[in-house]
Amino acid sequence: MEPELLYDLLQLPKGVEPSAEEELSQGGKKKYLPPTSRKDPKFEELQKVLMEWINATLLPEHIVVRSLEEDMFDGLILHHLFQRLAALKLEAEDIALTATSQKHKLTVVLEAVNRSLQLEERQAKWSVETIFNKDLLSTLHLLVALAKRFQPDLSLPTNVQVEVITIESTKSGLKSEKLVEQLTEYSTDKDQPPKDVFDELFKLAPEKVNAVKEAIVNFVNQKLDRLGLSVQNLDTQFADGVILLLLIGQLEGFFLHLKEFYLTPNSPAEMLHNVTLALELLKDEGLLSCPVSPEDIVNKDAKSTLRVLYGLFCKHTQKAHRDRMPLGAPN
């Protein structure tokens, strides 16, 4: 990688040389937090909650933390914090002024922390080197682990994740990769990413899938009957986007001018245009619960086609049910 590309990637000013900590020997790796990740609201909130927790814990000792990057690296505050949380005395000097003595103190503290958390050194998401070099991600991983162990009722923001850039020094130069670092867990079922109903459906027996297809085909044909159209094969007949657009127009009350789409598409590009337009209409109406690639529809992917039709099916079968209910009837 050219140096200029690295500066762009890390958003460093041109001509600014990386610090000694950022220089990598061959085979070495280092993580960087780009400015966009540092400004993430949940990431900032996590730091705020952890600082307030540390300051409240160490209030009797008149210790105040103002920056997790600048105040935690030398082991002094970690020493006091861990002793209070674990209610034990560590054999480490209180004041360490030189880098060597600070590193020794930090080593003693982290060894005690890892024992308390029942972690081997290789399992920990922090190390003496990363903490001492003011690595914010390592510091946060360490503090989150301490909070979960000693104060599980502390209300940490859930599902905090940030994009990080990993730089590796190789024989051919610097190699970069973007990764997502997970700092806190999902706390409840509502925080979990929703399962895709069709991923689950296609794990079932073929007759289950066919039953769903049949129900949706019946629904589609009822709506297309007034146009003199019908669908026999759900997997193939939506690939060019024409029936899909006409169906959306019927159900959602759209009038699509013939100039906006190809009524008789003659190429994959024209089919792709139709399907892309249909997906944009569905997205605007909030009827796409999962992202769908228009290329998958054109390529006759049954699962993607079902996803698209299922949103329409749910909305309009529920609407028909409500319309049939007598006034005052319970839901």
Side-chain angles (χ1 to χ4, degrees):
M1 177 187 291
E2 295 297 323
E4 290 79 7
L5 292 179
L6 177 59
Y7 290 133
D8 288 340
L9 193 61
L10 301 177
Q11 298 184 29
L12 293 172
K14 297 290 192 296
V16 175
E17 293 297 326
S19 66
E21 299 89 61
E22 292 169 327
E23 293 175 0
L24 296 175
S25 57
Q26 187 171 314
K29 281 187 179 182
K30 187 170 176 66
K31 290 179 185 175
Y32 294 88
L33 265 174
T36 50
S37 294
R38 288 179 176 271
K39 292 174 183 175
D40 181 274
K42 291 190 77 170
F43 185 67
E44 291 180 332
E45 182 190 357
L46 176 62
Q47 294 176 74
K48 180 173 178 288
V49 170
L50 288 170
M51 276 195 287
E52 289 174 351
W53 169 61
I54 294 169
N55 289 336
T57 304
L58 297 180
L59 184 62
E61 300 185 39
H62 309 290
I63 292 174
V64 178
V65 173
R66 293 185 173 85
S67 165
L68 295 181
E69 278 181 289
E70 299 298 327
D71 295 346
M72 307 299 293
F73 80 97
D74 61 1
L76 175 64
I77 291 173
L78 280 173
H79 182 191
H80 285 269
L81 178 66
F82 182 69
Q83 286 192 145
R84 278 206 161 263
L85 293 173
L88 53 79
K89 178 75 175 172
L90 292 182
E91 294 301 323
E93 54 189 315
D94 268 347
I95 304 297
L97 299 178
T98 66
T100 302
S101 60
Q102 287 171 346
K103 255 189 173 178
H104 174 72
K105 180 186 182 71
L106 185 60
T107 301
V108 172
V109 174
L110 291 184
E111 284 175 352
V113 167
N114 291 347
R115 283 196 301 272
S116 177
L117 297 174
Q118 298 181 336
L119 286 175
E120 294 181 21
E121 187 177 348
R122 58 186 175 81
Q123 296 174 303
K125 295 179 180 179
W126 54 83
S127 67
V128 172
E129 289 301 321
T130 57
I131 300 293
F132 191 74
N133 286 330
K134 304 179 183 180
D135 184 304
L136 182 55
L137 285 172
S138 292
T139 304
L140 288 171
H141 278 303
L142 171 60
L143 294 173
V144 167
L146 285 171
K148 286 171 61 179
R149 167 68 176 83
F150 293 105
Q151 193 159 352
D153 60 338
L154 183 65
S155 184
L156 295 174
T158 60
N159 191 27
V160 178
Q161 50 182 209
V162 289
E163 189 177 78
V164 299
I165 298 167
T166 300
I167 306 295
E168 181 181 4
S169 177
T170 66
K171 289 181 180 179
S172 57
L174 292 177
K175 175 185 172 185
S176 72
E177 184 180 13
K178 285 187 178 182
L179 301 168
V180 173
E181 187 104 2
Q182 191 80 32
L183 288 161
T184 63
E185 300 170 349
Y186 299 108
S187 67
T188 61
D189 289 342
K190 67 181 175 63
D191 292 318
Q192 296 282 2
K195 288 183 179 178
D196 181 354
V197 65
F198 288 103
D199 282 341
E200 300 300 311
L201 173 66
F202 274 70
K203 294 175 186 176
L204 304 176
E207 58 268 21
K208 299 285 188 185
V209 178
N210 290 334
V212 173
K213 286 183 178 180
E214 184 179 345
I216 292 180
V217 166
N218 289 338
F219 160 76
V220 168
N221 284 335
Q222 287 173 13
K223 305 305 174 185
L224 292 178
D225 183 59
R226 70 192 74 176
L227 297 178
L229 298 172
S230 68
V231 170
Q232 282 77 45
N233 191 325
L234 183 145
D235 294 354
T236 62
Q237 284 185 262
F238 289 90
D240 64 6
V242 175
I243 290 181
L244 183 55
L245 282 168
L246 294 174
L247 177 65
I248 294 169
Q250 281 288 301
L251 293 171
E252 299 296 313
F254 292 135
F255 173 75
L256 292 173
H257 198 282
L258 290 177
K259 291 181 179 179
E260 295 184 52
F261 70 104
Y262 298 96
L263 190 59
T264 54
N266 294 313
S267 68
E270 291 179 354
M271 295 164 67
L272 190 62
H273 170 87
N274 285 353
V275 174
T276 301
L277 174 59
L279 294 182
E280 286 172 355
L281 293 172
L282 290 172
K283 188 176 179 182
D284 290 344
E285 295 298 307
L287 293 174
L288 276 183
S289 57
C290 293
V292 176
S293 166
E295 287 84 358
D296 289 342
I297 305 291
V298 173
N299 291 329
K300 302 175 184 176
D301 179 73
K303 194 188 296 184
S304 296
T305 305
L306 273 174
R307 280 194 188 102
V308 170
L309 295 173
Y310 184 70
L312 287 164
F313 174 80
C314 286
K315 176 180 177 180
H316 289 279
T317 52
Q318 289 169 3
K319 180 178 181 296
H321 175 69
R322 288 195 301 269
D323 292 345
R324 287 196 303 270
M325 286 175 62
L327 289 175
N331 289 331

Short mmCIF file of all heavy atoms in Angstrom, two decimals, residues 183-240:
data_model
loop_
_atom_site.label_atom_id
_atom_site.label_comp_id
_atom_site.label_asym_id
_atom_site.label_seq_id
_atom_site.Cartn_x
_atom_site.Cartn_y
_atom_site.Cartn_z
N LEU A 183 -18.18 -4.66 20.99
CA LEU A 183 -17.73 -4.27 22.33
C LEU A 183 -18.71 -4.70 23.41
O LEU A 183 -18.29 -5.05 24.52
CB LEU A 183 -17.51 -2.76 22.39
CG LEU A 183 -16.27 -2.28 21.63
CD1 LEU A 183 -16.35 -0.80 21.33
CD2 LEU A 183 -15.01 -2.58 22.44
N THR A 184 -20.01 -4.62 23.15
CA THR A 184 -20.99 -5.11 24.13
C THR A 184 -21.97 -6.03 23.41
O THR A 184 -22.13 -5.97 22.19
CB THR A 184 -21.76 -3.96 24.80
OG1 THR A 184 -22.52 -3.25 23.81
CG2 THR A 184 -20.83 -3.00 25.50
N GLU A 185 -22.64 -6.84 24.19
CA GLU A 185 -23.47 -7.89 23.61
C GLU A 185 -24.90 -7.40 23.38
O GLU A 185 -25.30 -6.36 23.88
CB GLU A 185 -23.51 -9.10 24.57
CG GLU A 185 -22.14 -9.70 24.84
CD GLU A 185 -22.18 -10.71 25.97
OE1 GLU A 185 -23.23 -10.77 26.66
OE2 GLU A 185 -21.19 -11.41 26.15
N TYR A 186 -25.65 -8.22 22.63
CA TYR A 186 -27.10 -8.04 22.59
C TYR A 186 -27.62 -8.37 23.98
O TYR A 186 -27.23 -9.36 24.59
CB TYR A 186 -27.73 -9.00 21.58
CG TYR A 186 -27.28 -8.83 20.17
CD1 TYR A 186 -26.43 -9.77 19.57
CD2 TYR A 186 -27.70 -7.74 19.42
CE1 TYR A 186 -26.02 -9.61 18.25
CE2 TYR A 186 -27.29 -7.58 18.11
CZ TYR A 186 -26.46 -8.52 17.54
OH TYR A 186 -26.05 -8.36 16.24
N SER A 187 -28.53 -7.55 24.50
CA SER A 187 -28.99 -7.80 25.87
C SER A 187 -30.27 -8.62 25.93
O SER A 187 -30.46 -9.39 26.84
CB SER A 187 -29.22 -6.47 26.60
OG SER A 187 -30.30 -5.77 26.00
N THR A 188 -31.17 -8.42 24.98
CA THR A 188 -32.45 -9.13 25.02
C THR A 188 -32.80 -9.59 23.63
O THR A 188 -32.16 -9.23 22.65
CB THR A 188 -33.58 -8.20 25.52
OG1 THR A 188 -33.69 -7.10 24.60
CG2 THR A 188 -33.30 -7.66 26.91
N ASP A 189 -33.86 -10.37 23.54
CA ASP A 189 -34.30 -10.88 22.25
C ASP A 189 -34.62 -9.75 21.28
O ASP A 189 -34.41 -9.86 20.08
CB ASP A 189 -35.54 -11.77 22.41
CG ASP A 189 -35.19 -13.09 23.08
OD1 ASP A 189 -33.99 -13.43 23.08
OD2 ASP A 189 -36.09 -13.76 23.60
N LYS A 190 -35.15 -8.63 21.80
CA LYS A 190 -35.53 -7.53 20.90
C LYS A 190 -34.31 -6.87 20.29
O LYS A 190 -34.41 -6.21 19.26
CB LYS A 190 -36.38 -6.50 21.63
CG LYS A 190 -35.67 -5.70 22.71
CD LYS A 190 -36.63 -4.73 23.37
CE LYS A 190 -36.00 -4.00 24.54
NZ LYS A 190 -34.87 -3.16 24.17
N ASP A 191 -33.11 -7.06 20.90
CA ASP A 191 -31.89 -6.51 20.33
C ASP A 191 -31.30 -7.40 19.25
O ASP A 191 -30.46 -6.98 18.48
CB ASP A 191 -30.82 -6.30 21.41
CG ASP A 191 -31.20 -5.21 22.38
OD1 ASP A 191 -31.70 -4.18 21.92
OD2 ASP A 191 -31.01 -5.40 23.58
N GLN A 192 -31.72 -8.68 19.23
CA GLN A 192 -31.17 -9.60 18.27
C GLN A 192 -31.63 -9.24 16.86
O GLN A 192 -32.77 -8.84 16.67
CB GLN A 192 -31.63 -11.04 18.59
CG GLN A 192 -31.14 -11.55 19.92
CD GLN A 192 -29.70 -11.99 19.88
OE1 GLN A 192 -29.06 -11.87 18.85
NE2 GLN A 192 -29.20 -12.49 20.99
N PRO A 193 -30.76 -9.40 15.87
CA PRO A 193 -31.22 -9.16 14.51
C PRO A 193 -32.33 -10.14 14.17
O PRO A 193 -32.24 -11.31 14.51
CB PRO A 193 -29.97 -9.42 13.65
CG PRO A 193 -29.06 -10.22 14.51
CD PRO A 193 -29.37 -9.86 15.93
N PRO A 194 -33.40 -9.67 13.53
CA PRO A 194 -34.52 -10.57 13.28
C PRO A 194 -34.13 -11.69 12.34
O PRO A 194 -33.36 -11.51 11.40
CB PRO A 194 -35.56 -9.64 12.61
CG PRO A 194 -34.77 -8.50 12.09
CD PRO A 194 -33.59 -8.32 13.00
N LYS A 195 -34.65 -12.88 12.62
CA LYS A 195 -34.39 -14.01 11.74
C LYS A 195 -35.17 -13.82 10.45
O LYS A 195 -36.29 -13.35 10.45
CB LYS A 195 -34.83 -15.32 12.43
CG LYS A 195 -33.92 -15.74 13.57
CD LYS A 195 -34.38 -17.07 14.12
CE LYS A 195 -33.46 -17.52 15.25
NZ LYS A 195 -33.90 -18.80 15.84
N ASP A 196 -34.56 -14.21 9.37
CA ASP A 196 -35.24 -14.17 8.08
C ASP A 196 -36.18 -15.35 8.01
O ASP A 196 -35.75 -16.51 8.04
CB ASP A 196 -34.21 -14.21 6.96
CG ASP A 196 -34.84 -14.15 5.58
OD1 ASP A 196 -36.08 -14.19 5.50
OD2 ASP A 196 -34.10 -14.08 4.61
N VAL A 197 -37.48 -15.08 7.90
CA VAL A 197 -38.47 -16.15 7.92
C VAL A 197 -38.25 -17.14 6.79
O VAL A 197 -38.50 -18.34 6.94
CB VAL A 197 -39.90 -15.54 7.87
CG1 VAL A 197 -40.15 -14.84 6.55
CG2 VAL A 197 -40.95 -16.61 8.09
N PHE A 198 -37.71 -16.67 5.66
CA PHE A 198 -37.53 -17.58 4.53
C PHE A 198 -36.26 -18.41 4.64
O PHE A 198 -36.19 -19.51 4.09
CB PHE A 198 -37.60 -16.81 3.21
CG PHE A 198 -39.01 -16.37 2.92
CD1 PHE A 198 -39.39 -15.06 3.11
CD2 PHE A 198 -39.95 -17.28 2.51
CE1 PHE A 198 -40.69 -14.67 2.88
CE2 PHE A 198 -41.27 -16.90 2.28
CZ PHE A 198 -41.64 -15.59 2.47
N ASP A 199 -35.24 -17.90 5.34
CA ASP A 199 -34.10 -18.76 5.65
C ASP A 199 -34.56 -19.94 6.50
O ASP A 199 -34.12 -21.08 6.31
CB ASP A 199 -33.01 -17.97 6.40
CG ASP A 199 -32.20 -17.09 5.46
OD1 ASP A 199 -32.23 -17.35 4.24
OD2 ASP A 199 -31.56 -16.15 5.94
N GLU A 200 -35.46 -19.64 7.46
CA GLU A 200 -35.99 -20.71 8.31
C GLU A 200 -36.90 -21.63 7.50
O GLU A 200 -36.85 -22.85 7.65
CB GLU A 200 -36.77 -20.10 9.49
CG GLU A 200 -35.94 -19.19 10.38
CD GLU A 200 -34.78 -19.92 11.01
OE1 GLU A 200 -35.00 -21.01 11.57
OE2 GLU A 200 -33.64 -19.42 10.92
N LEU A 201 -37.74 -21.06 6.65
CA LEU A 201 -38.69 -21.86 5.87
C LEU A 201 -37.98 -22.86 4.97
O LEU A 201 -38.37 -24.02 4.89
CB LEU A 201 -39.57 -20.93 5.02
CG LEU A 201 -40.51 -21.61 4.01
CD1 LEU A 201 -41.57 -22.41 4.73
CD2 LEU A 201 -41.15 -20.58 3.09
N PHE A 202 -36.90 -22.41 4.30
CA PHE A 202 -36.23 -23.29 3.35
C PHE A 202 -35.42 -24.39 4.02
O PHE A 202 -34.88 -25.26 3.34
CB PHE A 202 -35.36 -22.46 2.39
CG PHE A 202 -36.11 -21.94 1.21
CD1 PHE A 202 -37.07 -20.94 1.35
CD2 PHE A 202 -35.90 -22.46 -0.06
CE1 PHE A 202 -37.78 -20.46 0.27
CE2 PHE A 202 -36.62 -21.99 -1.15
CZ PHE A 202 -37.56 -20.99 -0.99
N LYS A 203 -35.35 -24.35 5.36
CA LYS A 203 -34.73 -25.46 6.09
C LYS A 203 -35.72 -26.60 6.30
O LYS A 203 -35.35 -27.69 6.70
CB LYS A 203 -34.21 -24.99 7.45
CG LYS A 203 -33.05 -24.00 7.35
CD LYS A 203 -32.68 -23.50 8.74
CE LYS A 203 -31.62 -22.40 8.67
NZ LYS A 203 -31.33 -21.83 10.01
N LEU A 204 -37.00 -26.31 6.06
CA LEU A 204 -38.05 -27.30 6.30
C LEU A 204 -38.21 -28.20 5.09
O LEU A 204 -37.53 -28.06 4.07
CB LEU A 204 -39.36 -26.59 6.63
CG LEU A 204 -39.33 -25.62 7.81
CD1 LEU A 204 -40.67 -24.91 7.94
CD2 LEU A 204 -38.99 -26.36 9.10
N ALA A 205 -39.15 -29.14 5.20
CA ALA A 205 -39.41 -30.08 4.11
C ALA A 205 -39.95 -29.34 2.89
O ALA A 205 -40.62 -28.31 3.03
CB ALA A 205 -40.41 -31.13 4.57
N PRO A 206 -39.69 -29.86 1.67
CA PRO A 206 -40.15 -29.19 0.44
C PRO A 206 -41.65 -28.94 0.42
O PRO A 206 -42.10 -27.92 -0.13
CB PRO A 206 -39.72 -30.15 -0.67
CG PRO A 206 -38.58 -30.93 -0.08
CD PRO A 206 -38.87 -31.04 1.38
N GLU A 207 -42.44 -29.85 1.00
CA GLU A 207 -43.88 -29.65 0.96
C GLU A 207 -44.31 -28.42 1.74
O GLU A 207 -45.32 -27.77 1.41
CB GLU A 207 -44.64 -30.89 1.47
CG GLU A 207 -44.29 -31.34 2.88
CD GLU A 207 -43.18 -32.37 2.93
OE1 GLU A 207 -42.41 -32.47 1.95
OE2 GLU A 207 -43.10 -33.08 3.94
N LYS A 208 -43.54 -28.04 2.78
CA LYS A 208 -43.85 -26.81 3.53
C LYS A 208 -43.62 -25.58 2.65
O LYS A 208 -44.41 -24.64 2.64
CB LYS A 208 -42.97 -26.73 4.78
CG LYS A 208 -43.15 -27.87 5.76
CD LYS A 208 -44.43 -27.75 6.53
CE LYS A 208 -44.49 -28.80 7.64
NZ LYS A 208 -45.79 -28.77 8.34
N VAL A 209 -42.51 -25.60 1.92
CA VAL A 209 -42.20 -24.49 1.02
C VAL A 209 -43.27 -24.40 -0.06
O VAL A 209 -43.76 -23.31 -0.39
CB VAL A 209 -40.80 -24.68 0.39
CG1 VAL A 209 -40.50 -23.53 -0.58
CG2 VAL A 209 -39.73 -24.74 1.47
N ASN A 210 -43.65 -25.54 -0.61
CA ASN A 210 -44.65 -25.55 -1.68
C ASN A 210 -46.00 -25.04 -1.19
O ASN A 210 -46.74 -24.39 -1.93
CB ASN A 210 -44.79 -26.95 -2.25
CG ASN A 210 -43.56 -27.36 -3.05
OD1 ASN A 210 -42.85 -26.51 -3.58
ND2 ASN A 210 -43.29 -28.66 -3.13
N ALA A 211 -46.34 -25.33 0.07
CA ALA A 211 -47.62 -24.86 0.62
C ALA A 211 -47.63 -23.33 0.70
O ALA A 211 -48.65 -22.69 0.41
CB ALA A 211 -47.85 -25.47 2.00
N VAL A 212 -46.50 -22.74 1.10
CA VAL A 212 -46.41 -21.28 1.17
C VAL A 212 -46.49 -20.69 -0.24
O VAL A 212 -47.19 -19.70 -0.48
CB VAL A 212 -45.10 -20.85 1.87
CG1 VAL A 212 -44.92 -19.34 1.79
CG2 VAL A 212 -45.10 -21.30 3.33
N LYS A 213 -45.76 -21.31 -1.17
CA LYS A 213 -45.82 -20.83 -2.56
C LYS A 213 -47.25 -20.85 -3.09
O LYS A 213 -47.70 -19.91 -3.75
CB LYS A 213 -44.92 -21.69 -3.45
CG LYS A 213 -43.43 -21.45 -3.29
CD LYS A 213 -42.66 -22.31 -4.28
CE LYS A 213 -41.17 -22.07 -4.18
NZ LYS A 213 -40.43 -22.91 -5.15
N GLU A 214 -47.96 -21.94 -2.82
CA GLU A 214 -49.32 -22.08 -3.33
C GLU A 214 -50.23 -20.99 -2.77
O GLU A 214 -51.04 -20.40 -3.50
CB GLU A 214 -49.87 -23.47 -2.97
CG GLU A 214 -51.24 -23.75 -3.54
CD GLU A 214 -51.75 -25.14 -3.18
OE1 GLU A 214 -50.94 -25.98 -2.74
OE2 GLU A 214 -52.96 -25.37 -3.33
N ALA A 215 -50.10 -20.70 -1.48
CA ALA A 215 -50.92 -19.66 -0.86
C ALA A 215 -50.64 -18.30 -1.49
O ALA A 215 -51.57 -17.51 -1.76
CB ALA A 215 -50.66 -19.60 0.64
N ILE A 216 -49.37 -18.01 -1.76
CA ILE A 216 -49.02 -16.71 -2.34
C ILE A 216 -49.45 -16.64 -3.80
O ILE A 216 -49.93 -15.60 -4.27
CB ILE A 216 -47.51 -16.44 -2.17
CG1 ILE A 216 -47.21 -16.22 -0.68
CG2 ILE A 216 -47.06 -15.23 -2.97
CD1 ILE A 216 -45.77 -15.94 -0.34
N VAL A 217 -49.32 -17.74 -4.54
CA VAL A 217 -49.77 -17.75 -5.93
C VAL A 217 -51.28 -17.52 -6.02
O VAL A 217 -51.77 -16.76 -6.87
CB VAL A 217 -49.38 -19.08 -6.62
CG1 VAL A 217 -50.13 -19.26 -7.93
CG2 VAL A 217 -47.86 -19.11 -6.88
N ASN A 218 -52.05 -18.16 -5.12
CA ASN A 218 -53.50 -17.94 -5.10
C ASN A 218 -53.83 -16.47 -4.84
O ASN A 218 -54.71 -15.89 -5.47
CB ASN A 218 -54.15 -18.82 -4.04
CG ASN A 218 -54.15 -20.29 -4.44
OD1 ASN A 218 -54.05 -20.62 -5.62
ND2 ASN A 218 -54.26 -21.18 -3.45
N PHE A 219 -53.12 -15.88 -3.90
CA PHE A 219 -53.32 -14.46 -3.57
C PHE A 219 -53.01 -13.59 -4.79
O PHE A 219 -53.78 -12.69 -5.15
CB PHE A 219 -52.41 -14.09 -2.39
CG PHE A 219 -52.13 -12.62 -2.24
CD1 PHE A 219 -53.09 -11.76 -1.72
CD2 PHE A 219 -50.91 -12.09 -2.63
CE1 PHE A 219 -52.83 -10.40 -1.59
CE2 PHE A 219 -50.64 -10.74 -2.50
CZ PHE A 219 -51.61 -9.90 -1.98
N VAL A 220 -51.86 -13.85 -5.44
CA VAL A 220 -51.45 -13.06 -6.60
C VAL A 220 -52.49 -13.17 -7.72
O VAL A 220 -52.88 -12.17 -8.33
CB VAL A 220 -50.06 -13.53 -7.09
CG1 VAL A 220 -49.75 -12.92 -8.47
CG2 VAL A 220 -48.98 -13.13 -6.10
N ASN A 221 -52.96 -14.39 -7.98
CA ASN A 221 -53.91 -14.59 -9.08
C ASN A 221 -55.25 -13.91 -8.81
O ASN A 221 -55.91 -13.42 -9.74
CB ASN A 221 -54.10 -16.08 -9.36
CG ASN A 221 -52.91 -16.65 -10.11
OD1 ASN A 221 -52.20 -15.93 -10.82
ND2 ASN A 221 -52.67 -17.95 -9.96
N GLN A 222 -55.65 -13.86 -7.55
CA GLN A 222 -56.88 -13.12 -7.22
C GLN A 222 -56.74 -11.65 -7.59
O GLN A 222 -57.68 -11.02 -8.09
CB GLN A 222 -57.19 -13.25 -5.73
CG GLN A 222 -57.69 -14.62 -5.30
CD GLN A 222 -57.82 -14.71 -3.79
OE1 GLN A 222 -57.76 -13.70 -3.09
NE2 GLN A 222 -58.00 -15.92 -3.28
N LYS A 223 -55.56 -11.10 -7.33
CA LYS A 223 -55.36 -9.67 -7.57
C LYS A 223 -55.12 -9.36 -9.05
O LYS A 223 -55.42 -8.26 -9.52
CB LYS A 223 -54.16 -9.15 -6.75
CG LYS A 223 -54.28 -9.43 -5.26
CD LYS A 223 -55.56 -8.88 -4.67
CE LYS A 223 -55.74 -9.28 -3.21
NZ LYS A 223 -57.04 -8.83 -2.68
N LEU A 224 -54.58 -10.33 -9.80
CA LEU A 224 -54.29 -10.09 -11.21
C LEU A 224 -55.45 -10.47 -12.13
O LEU A 224 -55.40 -10.19 -13.33
CB LEU A 224 -53.03 -10.88 -11.63
CG LEU A 224 -51.70 -10.43 -11.02
CD1 LEU A 224 -50.58 -11.36 -11.49
CD2 LEU A 224 -51.37 -8.99 -11.38
N ASP A 225 -56.47 -11.09 -11.56
CA ASP A 225 -57.58 -11.59 -12.38
C ASP A 225 -58.22 -10.47 -13.20
O ASP A 225 -58.56 -10.65 -14.37
CB ASP A 225 -58.61 -12.26 -11.48
CG ASP A 225 -59.75 -12.86 -12.29
OD1 ASP A 225 -59.46 -13.72 -13.14
OD2 ASP A 225 -60.91 -12.45 -12.08
N ARG A 226 -58.37 -9.29 -12.58
CA ARG A 226 -59.03 -8.17 -13.29
C ARG A 226 -58.20 -7.65 -14.46
O ARG A 226 -58.71 -6.94 -15.31
CB ARG A 226 -59.33 -7.04 -12.30
CG ARG A 226 -58.12 -6.30 -11.78
CD ARG A 226 -58.44 -5.39 -10.61
NE ARG A 226 -58.67 -6.16 -9.39
CZ ARG A 226 -58.90 -5.62 -8.20
NH1 ARG A 226 -58.96 -4.31 -8.09
NH2 ARG A 226 -59.10 -6.37 -7.15
N LEU A 227 -56.89 -8.02 -14.47
CA LEU A 227 -56.04 -7.63 -15.61
C LEU A 227 -55.96 -8.73 -16.65
O LEU A 227 -55.26 -8.58 -17.66
CB LEU A 227 -54.62 -7.29 -15.12
CG LEU A 227 -54.47 -6.09 -14.17
CD1 LEU A 227 -53.01 -5.94 -13.75
CD2 LEU A 227 -54.96 -4.81 -14.83
N GLY A 228 -56.66 -9.84 -16.39
CA GLY A 228 -56.62 -10.97 -17.31
C GLY A 228 -55.30 -11.71 -17.29
O GLY A 228 -54.92 -12.36 -18.27
N LEU A 229 -54.57 -11.63 -16.15
CA LEU A 229 -53.28 -12.30 -16.03
C LEU A 229 -53.35 -13.38 -14.95
O LEU A 229 -54.18 -13.32 -14.05
CB LEU A 229 -52.19 -11.29 -15.65
CG LEU A 229 -51.92 -10.16 -16.65
CD1 LEU A 229 -50.97 -9.14 -16.03
CD2 LEU A 229 -51.33 -10.71 -17.94
N SER A 230 -52.45 -14.34 -15.04
CA SER A 230 -52.36 -15.36 -13.98
C SER A 230 -50.93 -15.86 -13.91
O SER A 230 -50.15 -15.75 -14.86
CB SER A 230 -53.32 -16.52 -14.25
OG SER A 230 -52.90 -17.26 -15.39
N VAL A 231 -50.59 -16.40 -12.74
CA VAL A 231 -49.24 -16.92 -12.48
C VAL A 231 -49.35 -18.42 -12.20
O VAL A 231 -50.17 -18.84 -11.36
CB VAL A 231 -48.59 -16.20 -11.29
CG1 VAL A 231 -47.31 -16.89 -10.86
CG2 VAL A 231 -48.33 -14.74 -11.63
N GLN A 232 -48.58 -19.21 -12.90
CA GLN A 232 -48.52 -20.65 -12.62
C GLN A 232 -47.21 -21.02 -11.91
O GLN A 232 -47.19 -21.90 -11.06
CB GLN A 232 -48.63 -21.47 -13.91
CG GLN A 232 -50.03 -21.61 -14.46
CD GLN A 232 -50.49 -20.33 -15.16
OE1 GLN A 232 -49.74 -19.74 -15.94
NE2 GLN A 232 -51.70 -19.89 -14.88
N ASN A 233 -46.12 -20.33 -12.28
CA ASN A 233 -44.81 -20.68 -11.73
C ASN A 233 -44.21 -19.46 -11.04
O ASN A 233 -43.73 -18.54 -11.70
CB ASN A 233 -43.88 -21.17 -12.85
CG ASN A 233 -42.61 -21.78 -12.30
OD1 ASN A 233 -42.07 -21.34 -11.30
ND2 ASN A 233 -42.11 -22.81 -12.96
N LEU A 234 -44.28 -19.46 -9.73
CA LEU A 234 -43.79 -18.31 -8.96
C LEU A 234 -42.28 -18.11 -9.15
O LEU A 234 -41.79 -16.98 -9.15
CB LEU A 234 -44.12 -18.53 -7.48
CG LEU A 234 -43.77 -17.43 -6.48
CD1 LEU A 234 -44.83 -17.38 -5.39
CD2 LEU A 234 -42.41 -17.71 -5.85
N ASP A 235 -41.54 -19.21 -9.33
CA ASP A 235 -40.08 -19.11 -9.41
C ASP A 235 -39.60 -18.37 -10.66
O ASP A 235 -38.55 -17.74 -10.65
CB ASP A 235 -39.45 -20.50 -9.40
CG ASP A 235 -39.67 -21.22 -8.08
OD1 ASP A 235 -40.21 -20.60 -7.15
OD2 ASP A 235 -39.31 -22.41 -7.98
N THR A 236 -40.38 -18.45 -11.75
CA THR A 236 -39.87 -17.92 -13.03
C THR A 236 -40.62 -16.71 -13.56
O THR A 236 -40.03 -15.87 -14.25
CB THR A 236 -39.91 -19.03 -14.10
OG1 THR A 236 -41.27 -19.43 -14.30
CG2 THR A 236 -39.07 -20.23 -13.69
N GLN A 237 -41.90 -16.57 -13.24
CA GLN A 237 -42.70 -15.57 -13.92
C GLN A 237 -42.52 -14.14 -13.40
O GLN A 237 -43.05 -13.20 -13.97
CB GLN A 237 -44.19 -15.95 -13.87
CG GLN A 237 -44.55 -17.08 -14.83
CD GLN A 237 -46.04 -17.36 -14.85
OE1 GLN A 237 -46.50 -18.28 -14.18
NE2 GLN A 237 -46.80 -16.57 -15.60
N PHE A 238 -41.76 -13.99 -12.31
CA PHE A 238 -41.51 -12.65 -11.79
C PHE A 238 -40.12 -12.13 -12.18
O PHE A 238 -39.74 -11.03 -11.81
CB PHE A 238 -41.66 -12.64 -10.26
CG PHE A 238 -43.08 -12.78 -9.81
CD1 PHE A 238 -43.61 -14.03 -9.58
CD2 PHE A 238 -43.89 -11.67 -9.66
CE1 PHE A 238 -44.93 -14.17 -9.18
CE2 PHE A 238 -45.21 -11.81 -9.26
CZ PHE A 238 -45.74 -13.06 -9.03
N ALA A 239 -39.36 -12.95 -12.93
CA ALA A 239 -37.96 -12.63 -13.20
C ALA A 239 -37.79 -11.37 -14.05
O ALA A 239 -36.78 -10.68 -13.93
CB ALA A 239 -37.27 -13.81 -13.88
N ASP A 240 -38.77 -11.07 -14.93
CA ASP A 240 -38.59 -9.88 -15.77
C ASP A 240 -39.18 -8.62 -15.15
O ASP A 240 -39.08 -7.53 -15.70
CB ASP A 240 -39.18 -10.12 -17.17
CG ASP A 240 -40.69 -10.33 -17.15
OD1 ASP A 240 -41.32 -10.19 -16.08
OD2 ASP A 240 -41.24 -10.66 -18.23
#
